[in-house]
Amino acid sequence: MKVWLLSDYDNRKHQAFRGLIYRSTSGASGDIKIEVKSRTNLWRSLFAHLRDARNNPLPDVLELPLNWTRRFASLGVLADLKPHVRYLAEKAYLPAVMAELCRHGDSAIYSVPWWQKSPALYYREKVLKDFCSDPAAGLSTWKGFRRILDRLAETSRFHNHRLLSIPGSSGPVSLGEVLPHIWGRRGGLYSDDFTRATFTRDETIGGIQDWLDLAIDGYVRLFSQDRFDNGYLPDEDCVFMLSSRRPSYLGGKMKLLPYPGCAGGGGLLLVNNLAVSSTSLCQDEAFSLVSWLSDGLNAGIFADYFGVFPCCTAAFESRISRDRESDVLRRIYSSPEVLPNFSFYPSAELLLQNLLWKLSLKISEGKFLQEDLRRELIKAQGEADYLLTLD
Amino acid sequence: MKKSQGNIFINDNTGGYASFIRDALSRLAAGFPVDGASYYEYDSRYKLLHLRVCNAGGFSYDHEDHIRPEPGTPVFRALEKMEPVSATLPCGIHLYYPFLFECDEYSAPRFGRSVSVSRIGLIRLERRSGHNDFTSEEIENISTFMENHLVNYYRYEYASLRNTHEKNLKAVTSLAEVFAKSLNKQSRMEAADEKGKSQKSDDSLRAILSGVQMHFGFDRVRLFLIDKNEDMDILKGELSVDITGKVKDLSLEQIPLEPGFHRFADIILKRNSEAFLDEYKDCVVYVPLVVGGETIGLMIGDNFTSQQPIEKQELALLRSLGTQMALAVHNIRLFKKVQAMAKYDSLTRLPLRSYFDERFQEEICRSIRYGHKLSFMFVDIDLFKIINDTYSHQTGDEVLRAIANTINKTIRQKIDFPGRFGGDEMVIFLPQSSTEEAKGLAERLHRAIRDIHIDTGSEREIKLSVSIGISTCPDDAETMETLKNNADLALYWVKEHGRGKTMVYSELPPDYAEERALHEARKKPGER
C-alpha cells in the first residue's frame, strides 16, 4: 500500500508517522510505502494523474488539506469514505470542521479529519516584563504586538535570543503565514456568500501588508541563508514566536497567547485530512488504515509528537485539558474558522501564493513599492473572480 | 568508507524525476558516512537555491526552502566555480557539490527548432558538528560517485526528453489523424451507423477538442467560432472539454466582435495567427484558427484550475498544429452548413419537409412508447396567392418570413418543432401536448399573426390570417400519414367555413370525412 504524506517544516511529522505505522498492531499496516510530498508537489502530482493516469498513479491513501477535498472529489480522485471508515458517522469533531467538510450537503464524505492546528503567539515572559505589564492585553492586537516588537528592536536587551521566530518560514512570504493574519483582520479571499473575490478589500490588503511590513522592516529575513548555513535554529530560541504548533518541549520557557487580532477566538483553524484514492486497488485495506489512523488514540499519539492536535473531539479535549495553559488553548480554539471547502478555493490560494512570491522577490531585491501590492491584488482578484465561473 | 555504488540507472517509469532524485539521495546517504543529504536546484535568474528533497535517517522526503546565497559564502563559491566546496559551519560540516546539466542533443527539426535543457543542481552532504571534516579522498570518492550518478542522470533526462519527443510526435500524429478523419467524414458525408443516420459534426469537433486536451493536458480546452451576421460578427461558443473529459456546450456564450468588448474579441481583431504567442500568459493560451488568411475562430487552452504554467514547448507544438486544426474545424463547419441547407428552408429558416418528417416520426414513436399525447398542426396562410399576385413575390416572401418568425417566437422553445411544407403551408408538431393545449397555441398564433404589419410600399394594408387544422396522437391517429391527413381534413373545414380559425379533427362533423372523400373523387383530374 502506498501513502502520500504532506511534508512539514521539519522531519518530526513524518518520523512520527513512520513510528506509528511500525508500531501498528491493527494489521492495517501491512507493507506500507510512505512518500512525503510538499504541498506544491502533492497538488502537481494529483493533476499529473488526471492528465496521464497510467504514468502517474495515485497512492492508496493520501493526506490533504481539508479544503482541497471538494476540488479533488469533484475531479473523481477521491473515494467515498462514509460506508467504509469505521465510526466516521459517530466520531465527533469540532463543529466548524464537519460543517466545512459537509458544506455542500453531499451524502458522501471524501476525506476524514485527522489533525488540526491554529496559529498562536508565544512570548518570553522574562524579556517582555520591562516592556509590557499586561501581555495578554498588550499583545491582543497586531498593532499592539508591532508596538512592543518595535520597542524591543530599539534595544539590545534580548538576552541573546532572536527577536522573532516564524517556524516553517521557507524563504518568501508564504500563504501559511499570511492567511491567519488576513483572518485576524476579518478579511478573506472571497465574500461571505462566495459570489465575488475580495482580494482588494481593506482587511485583506491590510492583513497582507502587515506581514510584508515584517519583512520590509527586517523582522523577517526573506530568502535568508541563515537556515542553510546554520540549520534550523530551535524554534523557541526567541522572544516572540508565531507558530501553529504546541510542542511539549517548550516547557515553561515561553507563554502562550491567541494570535494577535484573535484574542476572543475566531482564529483560523488549519485541518489536514486523510483520503483514499478512487483508483486504489486495495481499497479495503486503505479504508482500514484510514480508520485506524484517524482513530482518536492513534491520531492523538501522532499529533502529540509534532505539537499539533487530533481532530477527534474526545482526543482533542483530553490533550487540551492536560496542558498547563488549557484556558488559553480553549480561547484559541473557540469559534474557529476553517478554510472554505469549495472547488475553486485552492486555485485562488495559488493565485495569492504566486502573488506573494513576486512581492517577496521585490522586497528581497529592494525594489518593492507600496503600489505593487494593490496592483498585484487587483490583477489576482480578477482572476479569482473568474475562478468562480469555472464549475 | 563505502565506495561508490556504481550505476544506479532508474527506469523513467518509476515515478518521475522527483523519485529519481530521492532514490539517488538515499543511495548517496547510505554509501557515504553522512548524517544527511539534500538536493537543491539553482535558479540563475533570481539567484535562488530551491530545496527540493532531503534525506535524513535513510529516508528521502520532499522539503521546500528558498535561499539566496550570499557572495563570499562557501555555497556561493561552489556555484560560482562549479566545483565541490567543503565548509565547517556552526551547525556542522557541509560539502557542496554543484553540477550543471546541459543537453542540446535533442532536436526537433519538424518544429524547426532544437530543444535544450539546462539545469544547475546542488547536492549538499551534511555531517554534524564534532565529526571529521570531509577529507580530499572522500571528496574525490564522492565526486566519482556523483559523476557516475550524473551519467545516469543524463540518461534519465535524455530518456525523459525522448519520451517527451515521442509524446509530442504521437500528439502530432494522433491529432493529425483526428483532423484528417474529420475532413474525410465531412467530405464523404457518410452515414455512419446501421440506422442510416449520418455522423454528427459535433462529434468531430468533440474529437478534436478531446484530442487537444488529452495530448496537451490542459485543464480545459474551449472552442469559439466566428458567426458572420449582417449586423455584426459574433464569436460563438461551441464546446469545451475539461481534464476529466467532460464535454460542455458553450452555445450560450456569444461575444460581439467589437474592439475592447472582450479579451477574445481583441485577440481576433487585433492579432493575427502569428502573434498568438504574444498572448501567452502563464496558464492560458489562445490559438486563433486561420484558414486562407481568414480567422474563423479561437481555441483556448487553460490551466486555471491547476494554475500550472503552460510550457513554451507546448506553444510551439500548438502553433504547428493550429493550421491543421483550423482546416478541420473549417470543414466541419462547411459540412454543418451544407447539412443545414439540406434541412432548412433558406427563406423562412424553418426545417424542410424531409427533416421535419424525420423528427416527427421519431416523436410519434416516443409518444406512443411513453404514453404521451402528441399534436400536429397544419398552418395555412389565408389567400396567400392573392397577396403574391396583388403585391409582389417579394412581399409574399416577406409574409412567409414574418409568419415563420411569429411561429418560432410563439411555440415552446426547443420543444415544439415547426416546418415548411412548401408554398404557403407550414406545420408544427407539439410533443406532450393534448388537443386543448394545441388549440391554445393556435389561438396565440392567430392573435400574433393578426398583429403582423407588412410594409407593402403603398397605403394598402395587408391583414394577415392563417387557418389551422389539428390532429392528436394517439386520439386521432397513430401514424404520421394519418395524423397529417386528419389535420389536413380539419384545415379543409376551416377553409370552407370562413378561414382564419382553428379546427381539430376530433370535432369535425361525423360525416365530413366521407363527404370530403366523395367531393375529391368527383373532381376532374386537373382540379385535384
Side-chain angles (χ1 to χ4, degrees):
Chain A
M1 212 180 347
K2 204 168 176 188
V3 176
W4 283 356
L5 196 71
L6 271 171
S7 66
D8 207 65
Y9 71 84
D10 60 22
N11 56 10
R12 282 195 193 115
K13 180 186 172 191
H14 71 255
Q15 280 181 346
F17 185 76
R18 288 162 68 207
L20 192 68
I21 291 293
Y22 294 146
R23 279 200 303 275
S24 157
T25 54
S26 71
S29 60
D31 179 23
I32 295 176
K33 193 172 171 223
I34 303 163
E35 207 169 304
V36 177
K37 284 189 175 285
S38 64
R39 202 177 151 107
T40 307
N41 268 347
L42 176 64
W43 179 264
R44 282 185 191 155
S45 297
L46 291 169
F47 275 94
H49 168 77
L50 288 164
R51 294 188 171 108
D52 182 1
R54 199 171 72 93
N55 291 317
N56 298 285
L58 289 176
D60 301 289
V61 173
L62 61 146
E63 179 189 8
L64 76 173
L66 181 151
N67 75 325
W68 287 17
T69 303
R70 178 79 175 167
R71 171 77 276 166
F72 290 104
S74 70
L75 291 169
V77 168
L78 307 178
D80 179 12
L81 298 177
K82 205 167 181 184
H84 306 288
V85 171
R86 280 197 312 269
Y87 318 126
L88 181 58
E90 288 83 33
K91 280 177 186 169
Y93 301 100
L94 286 176
V97 172
M98 280 318 274
E100 205 53 60
L101 191 57
C102 303
R103 174 186 267 276
H104 305 279
D106 295 330
S107 53
I109 295 182
Y110 292 99
S111 67
V112 177
W114 193 21
W115 58 269
Q116 60 197 1
K117 62 183 182 182
S118 186
L121 173 67
Y122 294 84
Y123 68 95
R124 197 168 291 273
E125 200 176 21
K126 260 191 197 171
V127 176
L128 215 58
K129 65 179 178 2
D130 295 333
F131 295 89
C132 181
S133 54
D134 184 359
L139 295 169
S140 62
T141 63
W142 189 260
K143 223 175 175 177
F145 168 69
R146 273 304 306 258
R147 198 179 306 125
I148 296 171
L149 195 67
D150 292 341
R151 281 179 63 199
L152 272 165
E154 286 164 9
T155 76
S156 56
R157 291 161 57 186
F158 303 159
H159 299 258
N160 295 324
H161 300 298
R162 287 172 290 146
L163 188 49
L164 176 64
S165 165
I166 319 276
S169 186
S170 63
V173 171
S174 73
L175 194 68
E177 288 159 3
V178 147
L179 280 180
H181 200 60
I182 292 174
W183 249 254
R185 277 225 184 198
R186 303 291 128 211
L189 304 191
Y190 288 93
S191 57
D192 290 343
D193 57 3
F194 297 97
T195 56
R196 57 192 168 82
T198 53
F199 282 44
T200 57
R201 214 166 97 188
D202 286 344
E203 293 86 349
T204 308
I205 295 182
I208 300 172
Q209 184 67 62
D210 281 349
W211 200 275
L212 294 182
D213 284 343
L214 282 180
I216 292 165
D217 296 339
Y219 294 114
V220 168
R221 287 187 58 203
L222 300 179
F223 307 110
S224 167
Q225 195 175 332
D226 274 347
R227 276 189 309 281
F228 184 83
D229 285 340
N230 303 319
Y232 286 90
L233 296 170
D235 299 339
E236 70 280 14
D237 184 24
C238 55
V239 179
F240 289 114
M241 179 167 74
L242 287 163
S243 174
S244 339
R245 283 195 184 172
R246 178 74 182 140
S248 53
Y249 52 79
L250 283 181
K253 290 182 217 167
M254 297 193 82
K255 294 193 72 98
L256 173 68
L257 280 174
Y259 196 90
C262 302
L268 190 61
L269 183 66
L270 303 164
V271 185
N272 276 27
N273 287 18
L274 284 168
V276 173
S277 71
S278 57
T279 55
S280 170
L281 296 176
C282 46
Q283 278 198 344
D284 289 340
E285 290 91 335
F287 293 136
S288 290
L289 181 62
V290 166
S291 295
W292 186 82
L293 286 169
S294 59
D295 174 71
L297 177 65
N298 295 317
I301 294 170
F302 172 64
D304 222 24
Y305 200 85
F306 66 107
V308 294
F309 293 88
C311 283
C312 263
T313 308
F316 174 68
E317 277 297 320
S318 162
R319 174 67 181 81
I320 285 202
S321 55
R322 286 195 323 259
D323 199 291
R324 56 192 161 73
E325 292 185 280
S326 58
D327 55 335
V328 182
L329 281 171
R330 286 191 197 287
R331 273 165 50 209
I332 290 169
Y333 283 90
S334 68
S335 319
E337 290 191 17
V338 180
L339 286 171
N341 181 26
F342 282 97
S343 50
F344 54 81
Y345 206 89
S347 307
E349 286 179 345
L350 279 172
L351 281 173
L352 181 59
Q353 188 170 284
N354 291 339
L355 179 163
L356 291 172
W357 175 266
K358 279 187 215 167
L359 296 176
S360 298
L361 282 174
K362 286 198 165 188
I363 292 172
S364 71
E365 291 164 1
K367 294 176 185 171
F368 177 77
L369 300 170
Q370 278 307 120
E371 55 264 32
D372 287 335
L373 173 60
R374 191 168 277 274
R375 187 177 53 241
E376 291 292 334
L377 283 171
I378 289 171
K379 278 196 293 190
Q381 177 162 292
E383 296 189 44
D385 271 325
Y386 187 70
L387 290 175
L388 292 168
T389 66
L390 292 185
D391 284 323
Chain B
M1 185 187 312
K2 290 183 186 177
K3 293 283 183 182
S4 70
Q5 296 288 305
N7 285 344
I8 50 168
F9 180 65
I10 306 289
N11 184 295
D12 59 11
N13 281 332
T14 56
Y17 171 72
S19 297
F20 179 75
I21 292 293
R22 267 192 221 111
D23 191 72
L25 275 189
S26 293
R27 290 172 192 249
L28 203 55
F32 295 92
V34 294
D35 297 307
S38 310
Y39 170 72
Y40 294 78
E41 281 175 2
Y42 184 63
D43 176 351
S44 53
R45 185 178 164 197
Y46 294 112
K47 306 213 182 326
L48 289 172
L49 267 176
H50 303 294
L51 174 61
R52 297 293 185 219
V53 186
C54 286
N55 182 288
F59 183 74
S60 289
Y61 54 97
D62 279 2
H63 198 60
E64 275 187 22
D65 206 350
H66 309 277
I67 297 121
R68 179 166 282 138
E70 289 170 25
T73 57
V75 65
F76 188 92
R77 284 202 308 273
L79 287 166
E80 203 174 32
K81 294 183 179 171
M82 292 304 291
E83 280 173 8
V85 169
S86 174
T88 303
L89 297 158
C91 64
I93 302 130
H94 293 170
L95 176 67
Y96 306 118
Y97 188 93
F99 63 91
L100 170 69
F101 171 76
E102 271 181 332
C103 178
D104 290 313
E105 296 164 16
Y106 169 60
S107 65
R110 193 166 179 163
F111 309 120
R113 54 193 287 175
S114 63
V115 176
S116 66
V117 172
S118 177
R119 191 178 279 157
I120 299 174
L122 180 103
I123 299 280
R124 184 177 80 173
L125 300 177
E126 300 134 29
R127 279 182 182 156
R128 281 192 282 270
S129 298
H131 283 63
N132 294 333
D133 288 350
F134 288 95
T135 64
S136 3
E137 194 190 344
E138 278 184 311
I139 294 175
E140 202 180 311
N141 281 338
I142 288 166
S143 295
T144 306
F145 176 87
M146 285 305 301
E147 278 161 21
N148 282 340
H149 163 68
L150 278 172
V151 167
N152 291 326
Y153 183 93
Y154 293 149
R155 286 180 190 156
Y156 173 84
E157 278 285 355
Y158 188 77
S160 183
L161 285 170
R162 189 190 62 216
N163 285 345
T164 305
H165 174 53
E166 281 172 8
K167 177 199 153 200
N168 288 342
L169 268 182
K170 194 179 163 193
V172 169
T173 314
S174 303
L175 284 173
E177 272 176 24
V178 169
F179 301 151
K181 263 187 195 166
S182 310
L183 289 171
N184 282 340
K185 277 182 182 159
Q186 308 325 318
S187 67
R188 291 203 310 262
M189 294 176 63
E190 66 179 11
D193 64 24
E194 59 195 9
K195 289 183 184 172
K197 291 176 189 170
S198 62
Q199 179 77 21
K200 288 179 184 168
S201 51
D202 277 353
D203 286 349
S204 298
L205 278 181
R206 209 168 286 151
I208 289 173
L209 285 195
S210 295
V212 170
Q213 190 286 316
M214 204 172 62
H215 286 291
F216 290 94
F218 291 125
D219 290 354
R220 183 179 59 160
V221 179
R222 288 176 288 168
L223 178 67
F224 287 77
L225 295 176
I226 295 175
D227 193 6
K228 290 188 181 295
N229 286 329
E230 284 170 16
D231 306 321
M232 187 194 304
D233 291 350
I234 306 268
L235 193 62
K236 277 178 74 175
E238 291 287 330
L239 293 171
S240 78
V241 178
D242 73 15
I243 198 170
T244 62
K246 192 166 93 179
V247 177
K248 207 166 140 183
D249 176 24
L250 296 182
S251 54
L252 292 178
E253 292 192 35
Q254 299 190 7
I255 300 162
L257 278 179
E258 279 180 17
F261 189 88
H262 192 280
R263 189 188 303 179
F264 297 176
D266 285 342
I267 289 167
I268 295 285
L269 293 171
K270 293 179 185 176
R271 313 284 184 176
N272 58 35
S273 62
E274 295 302 309
F276 84 83
L277 283 173
D278 294 343
E279 297 301 329
Y280 165 67
K281 185 189 173 295
D282 290 345
C283 38
V284 62
V285 62
Y286 305 97
V287 185
L289 303 175
V290 179
V291 174
E294 189 190 333
T295 305
I296 64 162
L298 189 66
M299 196 203 72
I300 305 141
D302 73 65
N303 286 341
F304 288 132
T305 301
S306 65
Q307 287 291 308
Q308 202 161 308
I310 296 171
E311 300 288 331
K312 283 212 164 100
Q313 298 92 287
E314 315 269 77
L315 298 180
L317 191 54
L318 267 173
R319 186 180 185 161
S320 73
L321 287 170
T323 312
Q324 290 184 64
M325 225 185 311
L327 205 53
V329 167
H330 179 64
N331 275 288
I332 290 167
R333 275 191 104 183
L334 278 178
F335 177 67
K336 262 181 158 173
K337 275 187 183 151
V338 166
Q339 269 195 323
M341 278 165 62
K343 285 181 178 173
Y344 292 89
D345 173 47
S346 55
L347 178 67
T348 61
R349 299 196 186 194
L350 292 178
L352 292 167
R353 186 173 194 138
S354 56
Y355 183 39
F356 180 90
D357 281 350
E358 191 185 308
R359 294 288 300 271
F360 190 25
Q361 183 60 61
E362 280 174 17
E363 198 58 44
I364 290 170
C365 295
R366 199 173 289 128
S367 64
I368 290 171
R369 182 174 177 179
Y370 293 108
H372 296 150
K373 304 265 188 193
L374 166 67
S375 288
F376 173 78
M377 225 183 251
F378 259 122
V379 180
D380 189 281
I381 302 173
D382 294 333
L383 305 172
F384 180 71
K385 193 172 180 308
I386 294 172
I387 293 171
N388 240 1
D389 294 342
T390 307
Y391 297 95
S392 64
H393 284 282
Q394 204 172 341
T395 303
D397 284 352
E398 226 177 292
V399 166
L400 286 168
R401 263 200 297 265
I403 288 180
N405 285 345
T406 305
I407 288 173
N408 271 327
K409 282 181 193 163
T410 312
I411 57 175
R412 293 172 301 176
Q413 300 304 309
K414 298 197 186 218
I415 300 175
D416 301 332
F417 196 84
R420 185 182 177 197
F421 266 28
D424 58 347
E425 210 163 54
M426 294 180 196
V427 288
I428 311 171
F429 72 72
L430 303 102
Q432 299 189 47
S433 282
S434 62
T435 306
E436 286 309 307
E437 284 161 336
K439 278 165 79 174
L441 171 67
E443 206 38 54
R444 291 195 296 278
L445 271 175
H446 284 305
R447 279 200 301 272
I449 286 168
R450 273 197 290 274
D451 287 340
I452 294 175
H453 293 282
I454 301 288
D455 182 8
T456 61
S458 71
E459 287 172 5
R460 293 173 70 180
E461 203 181 300
I462 303 178
K463 285 188 179 162
L464 292 176
S465 66
V466 293
S467 299
I468 299 178
I470 298 174
S471 63
T472 301
C473 168
D475 306 341
D476 301 330
E478 288 189 355
T479 66
M480 184 165 66
E481 284 314 311
T482 317
L483 278 166
K484 282 183 190 175
N485 289 340
N486 291 347
D488 194 32
L489 203 60
L491 177 64
Y492 255 96
W493 188 94
V494 174
K495 291 288 190 189
E496 288 176 350
H497 292 81
R499 302 190 183 87
K501 47 185 170 231
T502 302
M503 185 49 153
V504 299
Y505 175 78
S506 53
E507 290 171 11
L508 285 171
D511 303 327
Y512 185 75
E514 210 178 306
E515 280 173 28
R516 197 63 229 157
L518 277 172
H519 178 77
E520 285 296 313
R522 281 191 216 118
K523 270 188 190 172
K524 291 177 188 167
E527 287 175 328
R528 285 188 199 147

PDB file of all heavy atoms in Angstrom, chain A residues 18-34:
ATOM      1  N   ARG A  18       5.957   7.402  10.577  1.00  0.00           N
ATOM      2  CA  ARG A  18       6.621   6.114  10.349  1.00  0.00           C
ATOM      3  C   ARG A  18       6.654   5.298  11.636  1.00  0.00           C
ATOM      4  O   ARG A  18       6.440   4.085  11.614  1.00  0.00           O
ATOM      5  CB  ARG A  18       8.027   6.346   9.809  1.00  0.00           C
ATOM      6  CG  ARG A  18       8.033   6.841   8.360  1.00  0.00           C
ATOM      7  CD  ARG A  18       9.344   7.482   7.970  1.00  0.00           C
ATOM      8  NE  ARG A  18      10.411   6.507   7.913  1.00  0.00           N
ATOM      9  CZ  ARG A  18      11.698   6.796   8.102  1.00  0.00           C
ATOM     10  NH1 ARG A  18      12.066   8.028   8.364  1.00  0.00           N
ATOM     11  NH2 ARG A  18      12.607   5.862   7.998  1.00  0.00           N
ATOM     12  N   GLY A  19       6.916   6.000  12.745  1.00  0.00           N
ATOM     13  CA  GLY A  19       6.917   5.304  14.024  1.00  0.00           C
ATOM     14  C   GLY A  19       5.553   4.700  14.322  1.00  0.00           C
ATOM     15  O   GLY A  19       5.442   3.556  14.787  1.00  0.00           O
ATOM     16  N   LEU A  20       4.522   5.454  14.036  1.00  0.00           N
ATOM     17  CA  LEU A  20       3.163   4.988  14.296  1.00  0.00           C
ATOM     18  C   LEU A  20       2.846   3.754  13.461  1.00  0.00           C
ATOM     19  O   LEU A  20       2.271   2.776  13.940  1.00  0.00           O
ATOM     20  CB  LEU A  20       2.190   6.121  13.960  1.00  0.00           C
ATOM     21  CG  LEU A  20       0.749   5.974  14.404  1.00  0.00           C
ATOM     22  CD1 LEU A  20       0.654   6.040  15.899  1.00  0.00           C
ATOM     23  CD2 LEU A  20      -0.099   7.100  13.792  1.00  0.00           C
ATOM     24  N   ILE A  21       3.232   3.809  12.207  1.00  0.00           N
ATOM     25  CA  ILE A  21       2.954   2.692  11.301  1.00  0.00           C
ATOM     26  C   ILE A  21       3.700   1.439  11.768  1.00  0.00           C
ATOM     27  O   ILE A  21       3.154   0.342  11.804  1.00  0.00           O
ATOM     28  CB  ILE A  21       3.361   3.057   9.854  1.00  0.00           C
ATOM     29  CG1 ILE A  21       2.442   4.140   9.286  1.00  0.00           C
ATOM     30  CG2 ILE A  21       3.370   1.821   8.966  1.00  0.00           C
ATOM     31  CD1 ILE A  21       1.025   3.692   9.069  1.00  0.00           C
ATOM     32  N   TYR A  22       4.951   1.635  12.142  1.00  0.00           N
ATOM     33  CA  TYR A  22       5.738   0.465  12.564  1.00  0.00           C
ATOM     34  C   TYR A  22       5.183  -0.151  13.839  1.00  0.00           C
ATOM     35  O   TYR A  22       5.281  -1.355  14.052  1.00  0.00           O
ATOM     36  CB  TYR A  22       7.216   0.834  12.779  1.00  0.00           C
ATOM     37  CG  TYR A  22       7.935   1.228  11.516  1.00  0.00           C
ATOM     38  CD1 TYR A  22       8.939   2.195  11.534  1.00  0.00           C
ATOM     39  CD2 TYR A  22       7.603   0.649  10.291  1.00  0.00           C
ATOM     40  CE1 TYR A  22       9.582   2.574  10.369  1.00  0.00           C
ATOM     41  CE2 TYR A  22       8.244   1.028   9.122  1.00  0.00           C
ATOM     42  CZ  TYR A  22       9.233   1.996   9.166  1.00  0.00           C
ATOM     43  OH  TYR A  22       9.868   2.374   8.014  1.00  0.00           O
ATOM     44  N   ARG A  23       4.630   0.699  14.709  1.00  0.00           N
ATOM     45  CA  ARG A  23       4.085   0.182  15.971  1.00  0.00           C
ATOM     46  C   ARG A  23       2.694  -0.401  15.789  1.00  0.00           C
ATOM     47  O   ARG A  23       2.125  -0.938  16.711  1.00  0.00           O
ATOM     48  CB  ARG A  23       3.992   1.312  16.998  1.00  0.00           C
ATOM     49  CG  ARG A  23       5.290   1.632  17.692  1.00  0.00           C
ATOM     50  CD  ARG A  23       5.014   2.372  18.986  1.00  0.00           C
ATOM     51  NE  ARG A  23       4.256   3.589  18.772  1.00  0.00           N
ATOM     52  CZ  ARG A  23       4.807   4.766  18.450  1.00  0.00           C
ATOM     53  NH1 ARG A  23       6.096   4.869  18.292  1.00  0.00           N
ATOM     54  NH2 ARG A  23       4.055   5.831  18.273  1.00  0.00           N
ATOM     55  N   SER A  24       2.160  -0.252  14.599  1.00  0.00           N
ATOM     56  CA  SER A  24       0.778  -0.648  14.374  1.00  0.00           C
ATOM     57  C   SER A  24       0.579  -2.108  14.724  1.00  0.00           C
ATOM     58  O   SER A  24       1.319  -2.983  14.300  1.00  0.00           O
ATOM     59  CB  SER A  24       0.397  -0.418  12.911  1.00  0.00           C
ATOM     60  OG  SER A  24      -0.678  -1.223  12.550  1.00  0.00           O
ATOM     61  N   THR A  25      -0.479  -2.344  15.473  1.00  0.00           N
ATOM     62  CA  THR A  25      -0.813  -3.728  15.791  1.00  0.00           C
ATOM     63  C   THR A  25      -2.158  -4.073  15.195  1.00  0.00           C
ATOM     64  O   THR A  25      -2.717  -5.124  15.454  1.00  0.00           O
ATOM     65  CB  THR A  25      -0.891  -3.933  17.326  1.00  0.00           C
ATOM     66  OG1 THR A  25      -1.808  -2.969  17.840  1.00  0.00           O
ATOM     67  CG2 THR A  25       0.457  -3.757  17.962  1.00  0.00           C
ATOM     68  N   SER A  26      -2.673  -3.142  14.397  1.00  0.00           N
ATOM     69  CA  SER A  26      -4.032  -3.362  13.901  1.00  0.00           C
ATOM     70  C   SER A  26      -4.065  -4.327  12.732  1.00  0.00           C
ATOM     71  O   SER A  26      -5.110  -4.767  12.297  1.00  0.00           O
ATOM     72  CB  SER A  26      -4.630  -2.046  13.436  1.00  0.00           C
ATOM     73  OG  SER A  26      -3.985  -1.645  12.234  1.00  0.00           O
ATOM     74  N   GLY A  27      -2.894  -4.630  12.181  1.00  0.00           N
ATOM     75  CA  GLY A  27      -2.879  -5.442  10.967  1.00  0.00           C
ATOM     76  C   GLY A  27      -3.156  -4.607   9.742  1.00  0.00           C
ATOM     77  O   GLY A  27      -3.118  -5.091   8.618  1.00  0.00           O
ATOM     78  N   ALA A  28      -3.426  -3.334   9.965  1.00  0.00           N
ATOM     79  CA  ALA A  28      -3.715  -2.492   8.805  1.00  0.00           C
ATOM     80  C   ALA A  28      -2.443  -2.015   8.141  1.00  0.00           C
ATOM     81  O   ALA A  28      -2.473  -1.499   7.046  1.00  0.00           O
ATOM     82  CB  ALA A  28      -4.534  -1.276   9.242  1.00  0.00           C
ATOM     83  N   SER A  29      -1.294  -2.167   8.825  1.00  0.00           N
ATOM     84  CA  SER A  29      -0.076  -1.594   8.264  1.00  0.00           C
ATOM     85  C   SER A  29       0.390  -2.366   7.042  1.00  0.00           C
ATOM     86  O   SER A  29       0.605  -1.798   5.997  1.00  0.00           O
ATOM     87  CB  SER A  29       1.029  -1.547   9.308  1.00  0.00           C
ATOM     88  OG  SER A  29       1.312  -2.853   9.760  1.00  0.00           O
ATOM     89  N   GLY A  30       0.494  -3.679   7.178  1.00  0.00           N
ATOM     90  CA  GLY A  30       0.941  -4.469   6.031  1.00  0.00           C
ATOM     91  C   GLY A  30       2.263  -3.941   5.515  1.00  0.00           C
ATOM     92  O   GLY A  30       3.137  -3.555   6.276  1.00  0.00           O
ATOM     93  N   ASP A  31       2.395  -3.918   4.234  1.00  0.00           N
ATOM     94  CA  ASP A  31       3.591  -3.398   3.597  1.00  0.00           C
ATOM     95  C   ASP A  31       3.246  -2.004   3.109  1.00  0.00           C
ATOM     96  O   ASP A  31       2.620  -1.838   2.063  1.00  0.00           O
ATOM     97  CB  ASP A  31       3.974  -4.341   2.447  1.00  0.00           C
ATOM     98  CG  ASP A  31       5.195  -3.825   1.736  1.00  0.00           C
ATOM     99  OD1 ASP A  31       5.951  -3.053   2.353  1.00  0.00           O
ATOM    100  OD2 ASP A  31       5.369  -4.188   0.563  1.00  0.00           O
ATOM    101  N   ILE A  32       3.645  -0.990   3.844  1.00  0.00           N
ATOM    102  CA  ILE A  32       3.234   0.381   3.525  1.00  0.00           C
ATOM    103  C   ILE A  32       4.438   1.182   3.075  1.00  0.00           C
ATOM    104  O   ILE A  32       5.454   1.256   3.772  1.00  0.00           O
ATOM    105  CB  ILE A  32       2.582   1.049   4.757  1.00  0.00           C
ATOM    106  CG1 ILE A  32       1.291   0.319   5.088  1.00  0.00           C
ATOM    107  CG2 ILE A  32       2.302   2.522   4.479  1.00  0.00           C
ATOM    108  CD1 ILE A  32       0.608   0.817   6.335  1.00  0.00           C
ATOM    109  N   LYS A  33       4.313   1.782   1.890  1.00  0.00           N
ATOM    110  CA  LYS A  33       5.385   2.627   1.379  1.00  0.00           C
ATOM    111  C   LYS A  33       4.948   4.077   1.540  1.00  0.00           C
ATOM    112  O   LYS A  33       3.879   4.468   1.080  1.00  0.00           O
ATOM    113  CB  LYS A  33       5.617   2.304  -0.099  1.00  0.00           C
ATOM    114  CG  LYS A  33       6.895   2.894  -0.626  1.00  0.00           C
ATOM    115  CD  LYS A  33       7.209   2.420  -2.030  1.00  0.00           C
ATOM    116  CE  LYS A  33       8.392   3.235  -2.548  1.00  0.00           C
ATOM    117  NZ  LYS A  33       8.283   3.684  -3.883  1.00  0.00           N
ATOM    118  N   ILE A  34       5.796   4.850   2.217  1.00  0.00           N
ATOM    119  CA  ILE A  34       5.422   6.234   2.528  1.00  0.00           C
ATOM    120  C   ILE A  34       6.211   7.180   1.628  1.00  0.00           C
ATOM    121  O   ILE A  34       7.427   7.045   1.472  1.00  0.00           O
ATOM    122  CB  ILE A  34       5.748   6.558   3.997  1.00  0.00           C
ATOM    123  CG1 ILE A  34       5.039   5.579   4.922  1.00  0.00           C
ATOM    124  CG2 ILE A  34       5.355   7.996   4.327  1.00  0.00           C
ATOM    125  CD1 ILE A  34       5.615   5.556   6.321  1.00  0.00           C
TER     126      ILE A  34
END
